[in-house]
Amino acid sequence: MSPCGCWGLPVVLLALLCCPGSCETAFEVYVQSEVLTVESGMTWKVNCSTNCTEPEMGGLETSLTKNLLDEQAQWKQFLVSNVSQDIDLHCYFICSGEQQLKTLNIGTSYLLEQVLLKLQPTRVAVGTWFTIECRVPAVEAFESLTLILLRGKETLHRKTFEKTPGPQEAVATYQRLAHRNDSHHNFSCRAELSLHSHSREVIFRISEPRMLDVYEPMQDNQMVIIITVVSVLLFLFVTSILLCFVLGQHWRQNRRGGETEAQRG
């Protein structure tokens, strides 16, 4: 037997004793979030997992509201909500008495602070055109943004803006003929924002409602007719008074002239 063969087994045993973890899989913890930037008040899912086959304990450390949705030996899924500012999420597991921690920072955004709706004009006659405009100023980078123009619960028009690298203003306009019952419904705009393509979570905000004043054109015609008739009657009345005055003066002059001739005779 060669000298190398005699020393081979003791060397291997010595290496295992000196470096017990060298041939074992490293114990690690992973954290995965549906989104990395959230809107204030948004709810989303967070997964904590490990490669330890039999962890003794694990979970999610955060000051936010969290609910355990599902779990297996090597992973846990949480529903997280009530975020109001940037915050760190901490996933941890304990394996063979050793604890590992993984931290993920979640940023908070206020992308839909303003959803502005405008009607032009605000007072229209039945059968005439008016414009509905929805505007969301200075939207940060997003996956998709959809503006939906509503009449009550009825969708009139929708416009989707695709992914952009930087801030932009989103505007959707729609022209419509005024109907009689338009004045009985609120007009509003719903903005739906998706931050990431892999997330199903949609942030939405609705504008302040606006009312449209709709009137019948015939009402104006009738008013014109009434004003015209009143003006004519007033003119006739004043004219008759003037005629009566003129005729009265003429009658008095004739009477005085007759009395003067009678006295002379």
Side-chain angles (χ1 to χ4, degrees), residues 38-53:
V38 298
E39 180 79 1
S40 178
M42 178 178 163
T43 299
W44 77 102
K45 295 176 183 178
V46 176
N47 289 326
C48 294
S49 60
T50 178
N51 61 350
C52 178
T53 56

Side-chain angles (χ1 to χ4, degrees), residues 5-69:
C6 295
W7 285 98
L9 182 59
V11 170
V12 172
L13 292 174
L14 181 61
L16 290 174
L17 290 173
C18 295
C19 306
S22 60
C23 297
E24 297 177 1
T25 303
F27 166 42
E28 295 183 1
V29 174
Y30 313 99
V31 56
Q32 184 179 16
S33 174
E34 272 191 313
V35 292
L36 297 178
T37 304
V38 298
E39 180 79 1
S40 178
M42 178 178 163
T43 299
W44 77 102
K45 295 176 183 178
V46 176
N47 289 326
C48 294
S49 60
T50 178
N51 61 350
C52 178
T53 56
E54 295 182 358
E56 300 161 21
M57 186 180 297
L60 174 67
E61 288 293 336
T62 177
S63 60
L64 302 177
T65 301
K66 64 178 181 179
N67 293 300
L68 181 63
L69 295 179

Side-chain angles (χ1 to χ4, degrees), residues 176-213:
R176 171 183 168 88
L177 285 172
H179 296 78
R180 288 185 181 87
N181 57 354
D182 280 346
S183 58
H184 303 302
H185 297 274
N186 286 328
F187 289 86
S188 60
C189 177
R190 177 186 171 99
E192 297 181 349
L193 182 70
S194 175
L195 295 176
H196 303 281
S197 58
H198 63 271
S199 172
R200 296 181 180 179
E201 191 73 35
V202 175
I203 303 168
F204 71 90
R205 191 178 298 276
I206 300 178
S207 69
E208 290 292 329
R210 295 286 182 265
M211 293 291 293
L212 184 69
D213 184 10

Side-chain angles (χ1 to χ4, degrees), residues 15 17 34 40 62 73 88 97-98 117 125 133 147 151 156 159 172 185 187 197 205 209 212 218 220 225 250 256 260:
L17 290 173
E34 272 191 313
S40 178
T62 177
D88 290 333
E98 178 187 356
L117 182 74
E133 180 186 278
L147 301 183
R151 173 184 174 267
L156 299 176
K159 182 175 181 181
H185 297 274
F187 289 86
S197 58
R205 191 178 298 276
L212 184 69
M218 287 300 296
D220 285 354
I225 293 173
H250 182 69
R256 290 176 181 173
T260 303

Side-chain angles (χ1 to χ4, degrees), residues 107-122:
T108 305
S109 178
Y110 298 88
L111 298 177
L112 293 177
E113 284 193 85
Q114 288 185 306
V115 179
L116 308 173
L117 182 74
K118 183 166 60 175
L119 301 179
Q120 293 180 321
T122 57

